[in-house]
Amino acid sequence: MTSGMAAVTSGRPILRARDVHKSFGDNEVLKGIDLDVFASEVVAILGPSGSGKSTLLRCFNQLERIDRGFVEVDGEQIGYRLSGGRLAPLGVRAVAAQRSKMGMVFQSFNLYPHMTVLQNVIEAPVGVHRIPRREAIATATDLIARVGLSDKLNAYPRQLSGGQQQRVAIARALAIRPKVLLFDEPTSALDPELVGEVLTTMRDLASQGLTMIVVTHEIGFAREAADRVVFMDGGHIVEQGRPDDVLVSPRHPRTRAFLSRFI
Amino acid sequence: MTADTPSHSPQTATGDAFDRPDDSLRNVAGAYRPIPFSRLALWAVVLLVAADFSAVVATNDNFGWPVVAEYFFSPIVLDGLFVTIWLAVVSMALGVVLGLPIAIARMSQDRLAQSLSWLFVWFFRGTPLLVQLILWYNLSFLFPSISLSIPFGPTLASWNTNDIITPVTAAIVGLALNEAAYMAEIIRGGLLSVDRGQMETAESFGMRPMRALWRIVIPQAMRSIVPPTGNQFISMIKATSLVSVIAMADLLYSVQSIYNRTFETIPMLFVAVLWYLLITSILSAVQARIERHYARGDRQIPQAAAKDRAATEQEAAG
Ligand SMILES: Nc1ncnc2c1ncn2[C@@H]1O[C@H](COP(=O)(O)OP(=O)(O)O)[C@@H](O)[C@H]1O
Ligand SMILES: [Mg+2]
């Protein structure tokens, strides 16, 4: 089923998912996902609503437990440890440490409303990564400038527009120097005129060599910024490959049907 | 807008936009503001009645104001006041400290923790505080000695119940456990009011659950925890008067001990009432400050955030 792995496939994958299954009760949402993501690669995940895209990202970040298969991040299996032929679940501490390698950007921003922009961005570096406060503030100030919000350093999230909040959320995810950045429909909750500023920020990051997995409905962004497009449907990866191939001449009828809605 | 309205170009001066004869008269900025005679009359009546009532109360000899003044700062009353305050503070603090883990246990996925915390709340909220206090005070009647032992196994240590349970410990244990049951429910309500996405976000950034609770969820929950907690504290101040049944000399008990001797019942009760009102007023003011603190980040109250913000601002600059 997986075809066209010809896109940027150099070196060791940063993220390796094999035969990932996930059910909620009787509802099998992921039905055997195999995916490799390489360093500096930008992977766009497309697919109809309910196809399991969010669940897949949540499994990568251990917000959901998978039922079968495994996921490796940076050469380390997530959630479990293999030693002496026995696979043992990790404790809370180790899971937290693994999660701290991934930055997540949510559809609904999820900024901490009781903290200023700066406090939002330094929270994980100071509290989880034990970076000295002064240094974390300097880094955070740079990152906030990079997303164009230097004048909002001490504003509270509720005082910002949706687009500004999402850019802060991106700065917050960058602040932990993640191995992989996960985006779950980062522009879906935004007013149309605010989508552009967030996509611009994400294009910048893509061009700077960050490894990104982006669930999105923005076909334009996928075409310009992604190295590879993955199309999901009904809990399967139906088709993947270079944006020009998958988006311009999709092979699978489901992909064709999905894309036809955007033209 | 009607069909005959001429298509208009953007207006720069507001005056130009009033292009029909009556338009400038229709500008609501120049609307007539009636003097609110009926409101003013209402105020006058209320103030008059209040002044009259105060005068009646102040000049009525039956209230015994000289007696109130005489005993207001008397050592017995002040001792009782002190007992009331520290008993309430200690019991409230213990109630909060115990209530938090009970609330977390009730919300956990663990069935055992859920059941135990449910049982605790069920019992201590479901029985009268007065009965609980009397039971604690008479614990030695039920269990003459208290020992620490392995269930069905050897005993590690043992104490005589009467040595441990004094009026003070019975009062503290009784008030604190009862308070913990109520605080657990208040805290649980507060935690539930915070969007689930906040906990997930914190955890997805590698925060351990306890830290995520402490840094992210609890500060947001405080907005709905503080007001009912203020209520609880004020109830607690008054609930301490129940401990007089187990021979603790709180404010009410001291006042009673005086009027049992002097028969100046009403003035002495007013001494207690004024002190209770004074304490609860101070508590209300403190509560208002705390509420303002946790309202930071709200669009409506920018000045409340200023102090908190100044700290990080300085750090960012320095
Ligand atoms: N926590 C959950 N409990 C039960 N069902 C869930 C849960 N999360 C997602 N699902 C179900 O999983 C399916 C896939 O959801 P999702 O991953 O959000 O799809 P997508 O992001 O592609 O729209 C949906 O049918 C949804 O109802
Ligand atoms: Mg989704």
Side-chain angles (χ1 to χ4, degrees):
Chain A
M1 254 201 179
T2 53
S3 57
M5 284 278 284
V8 200
T9 52
S10 54
R12 197 177 62 148
I14 292 245
L15 182 139
R16 216 160 74 88
R18 287 293 177 274
D19 195 32
V20 171
H21 287 254
K22 172 72 194 175
S23 301
F24 293 105
D26 293 338
N27 181 16
E28 191 171 33
V29 176
L30 299 177
K31 301 173 180 163
I33 300 288
D34 298 315
L35 185 68
D36 283 340
V37 177
F38 295 87
S40 298
E41 198 182 13
V42 176
V43 174
I45 301 182
L46 306 182
S49 161
S51 56
K53 307 178 299 291
S54 298
T55 305
L56 185 62
L57 288 196
R58 291 168 60 84
C59 287
F60 288 165
N61 213 352
Q62 305 190 58
L63 289 174
E64 305 287 355
R65 225 166 233 293
I66 64 175
D67 303 326
R68 183 131 59 99
F70 66 86
V71 179
E72 254 178 39
V73 174
D74 202 23
E76 201 181 298
Q77 177 166 1
I78 63 164
Y80 296 85
R81 205 165 74 94
L82 183 64
S83 72
R86 214 178 58 131
L87 192 64
L90 292 175
V92 177
R93 208 171 264 267
V95 167
Q98 289 183 333
R99 279 174 170 157
S100 69
K101 290 184 189 171
M102 273 179 276
M104 184 111 171
V105 176
F106 298 86
Q107 183 174 345
S108 47
F109 329 134
N110 294 6
L111 293 179
Y112 309 131
H114 59 302
M115 295 181 175
T116 64
V117 166
L118 182 63
Q119 288 167 338
N120 262 276
V121 177
I122 63 172
E123 179 59 30
V126 172
V128 177
H129 296 258
R130 303 275 160 217
I131 292 172
R133 209 177 156 78
R134 199 162 274 279
E135 191 186 323
I137 288 176
T139 313
T141 310
D142 283 349
L143 286 170
I144 294 166
R146 242 165 92 182
V147 299
L149 290 171
S150 292
D151 54 330
K152 301 289 185 192
L153 222 52
N154 297 300
Y156 283 90
R158 277 194 256 267
Q159 297 159 345
L160 304 180
S161 74
Q164 291 171 330
Q165 287 190 50
Q166 195 60 300
R167 279 144 65 200
V168 173
I170 292 173
R172 176 176 67 173
L174 289 171
I176 62 170
R177 300 177 193 283
K179 299 280 181 197
V180 191
L181 263 178
L182 307 174
F183 293 82
D184 190 2
E185 299 197 30
T187 57
S188 295
L190 296 177
D191 291 336
E193 76 270 22
L194 301 177
V195 169
E197 60 187 72
V198 172
L199 290 182
T200 306
T201 304
M202 289 171 59
R203 268 192 212 100
D204 285 350
L205 300 181
S207 66
Q208 286 159 20
L210 274 121
T211 312
M212 295 163 52
I213 304 178
V214 186
V215 171
T216 183
H217 288 301
E218 298 290 332
I219 305 292
F221 173 81
R223 191 188 336 248
E224 292 157 39
D227 299 304
R228 177 152 47 110
V229 169
V230 171
F231 181 73
M232 277 181 74
D233 190 37
H236 295 284
I237 291 181
V238 173
E239 182 169 356
Q240 60 177 312
R242 289 221 307 273
D244 292 340
D245 298 333
V246 176
L247 296 175
V248 178
S249 47
R251 264 177 277 182
H252 200 281
R254 302 307 299 260
T255 322
R256 235 172 281 156
F258 177 77
L259 289 173
S260 68
R261 294 192 321 212
F262 292 89
I263 299 163
Chain B
M1 203 182 288
T2 51
D4 61 340
T5 310
S7 70
H8 38 237
S9 50
Q11 304 288 344
T12 43
T14 36
D16 298 350
F18 299 137
D19 48 8
R20 292 200 187 177
D22 277 352
D23 278 3
S24 56
L25 291 175
R26 290 181 193 281
N27 186 348
V28 297
Y32 164 67
R33 289 187 195 92
I35 299 167
F37 285 112
S38 51
R39 297 280 320 154
L40 291 176
L42 208 58
W43 269 99
V45 169
V46 168
L47 288 178
L48 206 67
V49 170
D52 185 55
F53 183 73
S54 310
V56 167
V57 168
T59 55
N60 184 336
D61 289 341
N62 297 334
F63 280 86
W65 293 115
V67 181
V68 172
E70 184 190 338
Y71 283 99
F72 200 69
F73 294 108
S74 79
I76 301 182
V77 169
L78 290 186
D79 284 351
L81 178 69
F82 179 72
V83 168
T84 287
I85 291 176
W86 82 252
L87 196 58
V89 168
V90 169
S91 307
M92 193 70 202
L94 284 174
V96 172
V97 167
L98 276 172
L100 179 63
I102 293 169
I104 294 171
R106 275 207 75 178
M107 292 174 72
S108 80
Q109 307 290 326
D110 188 273
R111 287 299 289 271
L112 182 66
Q114 268 175 26
S115 317
L116 288 178
S117 52
W118 180 86
L119 201 67
F120 181 94
V121 172
W122 173 77
F123 181 79
F124 286 101
R125 218 171 46 154
T127 51
L129 176 57
L130 186 62
V131 175
Q132 288 176 31
L133 284 171
I134 294 173
L135 280 183
W136 283 112
Y137 189 51
N138 294 293
L139 196 65
S140 63
F141 177 74
L142 298 173
F143 306 102
S145 71
I146 297 173
S147 22
L148 194 65
S149 63
I150 294 162
F152 304 110
T155 298
L156 304 174
S158 185
W159 299 272
N160 190 337
T161 306
N162 271 331
D163 295 343
I164 302 179
I165 297 292
T166 62
V168 179
T169 49
I172 291 178
V173 170
L175 290 172
L177 291 185
N178 185 262
E179 192 55 41
Y182 283 95
M183 282 311 302
E185 287 299 280
I186 290 173
I187 293 171
R188 189 170 70 98
L191 297 179
L192 284 173
S193 75
V194 179
D195 177 21
R196 249 174 57 91
Q198 290 287 312
M199 186 75 186
E200 284 191 345
T201 306
E203 291 200 80
S204 83
F205 276 90
M207 269 190 231
R208 277 186 249 136
M210 280 305 141
R211 188 185 161 85
L213 262 180
W214 190 245
R215 292 282 304 170
I216 306 300
V217 178
I218 290 177
Q220 294 180 55
M222 287 304 268
R223 300 226 30 202
S224 43
I225 291 177
V226 171
T229 305
N231 268 347
Q232 286 300 112
F233 206 158
I234 287 170
S235 301
M236 172 64 91
I237 291 281
K238 291 177 293 179
T240 51
S241 62
L242 287 177
V243 302
S244 56
V245 301
I246 56 172
M248 265 200 81
D250 75 310
L251 177 57
L252 193 62
Y253 184 90
S254 327
V255 169
Q256 283 168 337
S257 73
I258 296 174
Y259 71 59
N260 284 340
R261 206 158 25 82
T262 65
F263 301 107
E264 286 161 328
T265 312
I266 299 292
M268 287 318 295
L269 283 178
F270 267 97
V271 169
V273 164
L274 289 179
W275 273 118
Y276 282 124
L277 281 176
L278 198 67
I279 303 171
T280 50
S281 308
I282 294 171
L283 284 178
S284 300
V286 172
Q287 178 183 339
R289 278 197 68 104
I290 297 177
E291 280 176 28
R292 263 209 313 281
H293 173 75
Y294 285 108
R296 73 193 191 277
D298 258 25
R299 235 191 262 262
Q300 297 88 332
I301 321 177
Q303 75 275 22
K307 205 183 97 204
D308 175 72
R309 215 189 311 197
T312 34
E313 224 161 279
Q314 258 178 346
E315 282 181 85

